[in-house]
Amino acid sequence: MAAGTKVIKKPKRTLADQSFVVELVKGLGVTFKHFFKGLNQMRPGGPRPDVTNFNYEDGIATLQYPDEKRPYARRFRGVHRLTHRANGEPRCTACLMCSTACPAQCIWIKPAEFPVGHPSRGHERFPEEFVIDELRCIFCGFCVEACPVDAIRMDTGIHMTAIDDRGSFIFDKKKLMSIPSQDGDFVTSNDRPEPGDKNYGGITRLQGH
Amino acid sequence: MPTFKLDGKEIPFEKGETIIKAAHKQGIEIPHYCWHPGLSVAANCRMCLVEIEPAANQRAMMLDVLVWDEKKKDYVVSRKPKLQPACQMAAGDGMVVKSETSEHVALARKNVQEFLLLNHPVDCPICDQSGECKLQDYYMSEQATKKRMRDEPQHKPKGQVFGPTIVYDAERCIACTRCIRVCEEVIQDPMLDMRERGNLFEVITSPGRQVEGHYTMMVEWVCPVGALTTSHWRHKGRVWLLKGTQSVCPGCATGCNMWVDVDPRENTAFRNRPRENEAVNQYWMCDDGMLSYDRVYKHRMLHASVDGEKSSSAKAIEAAAQHISAHKGSLAVVLSAQRSVEENIAAVALAKAAGADLYITGKASWDGDKILRNSDQNPNRAGALKAAGVESLPSVDELVHKNHSAILVLGEDAEVANDVVARLRARVPSAPKVVVLATHEQRGAWLGVATVVVPITVWAETDGTFVNAKGVAQAFKRALAPRGDVVTGWEAIVKIAKASGLDTGYSKLSELREAAVSRGIEAAPLKKQDGVSPGTNTPRSTV
């Protein structure tokens, strides 16, 4: 035997080992343990782990989509909504910043002036028409970033789903204003005082000159 | 020519010229609000302050100032040179002027800018000037600091109606008085005045007056900020979405140079702006010219018709060709003073090939004035006559006395009175077959007798040339794609000639251009700056 050679002893196997029967039963035991555990978790009211913590908890890692859905993060960019003022009108001032910023050119706005006698006439304008083509939209969120008055938001949490006719993807002003946020709000937490409100910036505007 | 140095660059000037004007002529802009090359000097905005170095044997005039010392945490006494307004300071030979290179000038501009923005409402999102506002431009280039004033800004009336075309927002006003000066000096009608001063400054209409007349849009045009807006462009869109194309006003024989601003996404014109041309219109245009953009889409003839039935343009051209080839012997071709030189040349060529008589038509004259408006409402009467190579052509009234059995009319605008049309139509059974190349539905008596109508492009939809009353040939460019089934004007004529077996000798616009040059109609080439895309884009006013 040459120098430096390592001798490894042949392992000794019993008949039980040689026949694999015991190991087979052991292995099946593990399989059935998980099978029954899963079965228990699957029964209505069973001890399912929280869907948001799948990766960190023991248990079934399969989501029964579409019966079960994983909730989106709060920052998820869903379908747009137009936020309301206190009086139910859109906050939008039709500045066209969103449609300018939009890389997909899916926003079309027709600005208009408030009628004579309206307190906002001269101070603001409003969107007579506001249309978003959700099919064209790439959900980049640039419109939300560009908006100077917090009028357009993507915090609805709604993932655009397939609709079987294309026309339904064209959201007009009425549709956009009818979608609430994830929390069910139509307004935003940002203050927007109107002429006449106590906290309205223009202190002397209504008092004339 | 004497010169002075501006930031190290030699600027030539004529005697008596101001620093800012000489620089402006060289394409160098010294920041300014109240100065306008077409108006008198007011020197009230203080934005154009420059540092002028003293002559060799003189001391600079210095001012004692307090400067914040960061180390001492206190103001210390220092000195700075007295700055001069470039708009009022006459240039002198060998003068050394510092504009961009002087720290004192930079600080002065920054402070002026901060003062102007103290009471500004910063309602750029709804302001129609934003995108071409000097306050925005100079904020970015000269100031770029946050507002320091904590007090409530001064509030003034917004959305005041100054007249049928002008709306005034006193909060945005920077008191440059350009609008007041344009009324007095260009429009020569003092419709505007001012009241109060400083924060309370307001532009007002003169007692019992409103902004009215033929040049009201110039009041808005000179406003460097969003204080004055026109009711026509107000809240319509955004200037950065528009694309400016070099054009010539088709409104009268003055031929004012202008930009047509179109939205390429909607293929529609939204406004006209004067284009600087010292020789023709300086910096101005009249209201009718400013509003002529609506000719592009209002009442357009978008479909052909044959014998009163709707038809395609191709079929109408064939029908027209049939009439013309059938009546070659007694054909009349009516040129149009409304249409471009190229189209008239094509029509003249058709007439020559068919041996037809030439007539000329156009719109009736209107009220001219001594400022810009020519009493001839047609932009190209001189060009149409030059195209025909004659001094004058018979008017269409003569047509009644001749027995033409077919008439080809270029453009439906006509001086022809309704009774002429009635008499033409009454010549049953020998009433002439009338082929009209029309642009608009509701204008012109010709459509009343038309057998065939071929819809053709308006001036903004094709390249062309107009020759104005002074004989100046001016080229204009295509700003829009033709609408509907509309055929380019010169192409329609060439196609009709070809289909009726006549050879005009032209098949390209460039050939018509060459023919125009051979007739002595040569327009100065347009600058390259046209055709740029939106955003980066609309060539801004140089003033």
Side-chain angles (χ1 to χ4, degrees), chain B residues 444-458:
Chain B
W446 281 114
L447 293 173
V449 280
T451 319
V452 178
V453 177
V454 181
I456 55 170
T457 48
V458 289

Side-chain angles (χ1 to χ4, degrees), chain B residues 388-439:
Chain B
V390 291
E391 288 291 305
S392 68
L393 283 171
S395 150
V396 283
D397 294 340
E398 315 268 324
L399 271 172
V400 181
H401 312 299
K402 303 275 170 61
N403 260 329
H404 292 291
S405 55
I407 308 172
L408 175 72
V409 188
L410 178 55
E412 81 291 350
D413 314 280
E415 286 159 343
V416 59
N418 281 329
D419 65 307
V420 176
V421 172
R423 282 164 73 183
L424 279 176
R425 192 188 273 162
R427 277 208 322 236
V428 185
S430 66
K433 303 287 181 197
V434 181
V435 177
V436 181
L437 306 182
T439 54

Side-chain angles (χ1 to χ4, degrees), chain A residues 95 125, chain B residues 120 123-131 133 136 172 225-227 229 235 237-238 240:
Chain A
C95 68
R125 54 193 203 180
Chain B
H120 191 77
D123 52 355
C124 305
I126 64 155
C127 178
D128 294 296
Q129 189 83 5
S130 76
C133 176
Q136 286 181 332
R172 297 180 191 148
V225 297
T229 47
H235 301 344
R238 288 312 205 172
W240 55 80

Side-chain angles (χ1 to χ4, degrees), chain A residues 77 97-98 101-103 138-147 152 154:
Chain A
R77 293 194 295 263
M97 291 292 158
C98 51
C102 181
I138 57 166
F139 295 93
C140 64
F142 282 9
C143 50
V144 182
E145 298 283 324
C147 184
I152 186 166
M154 296 174 86

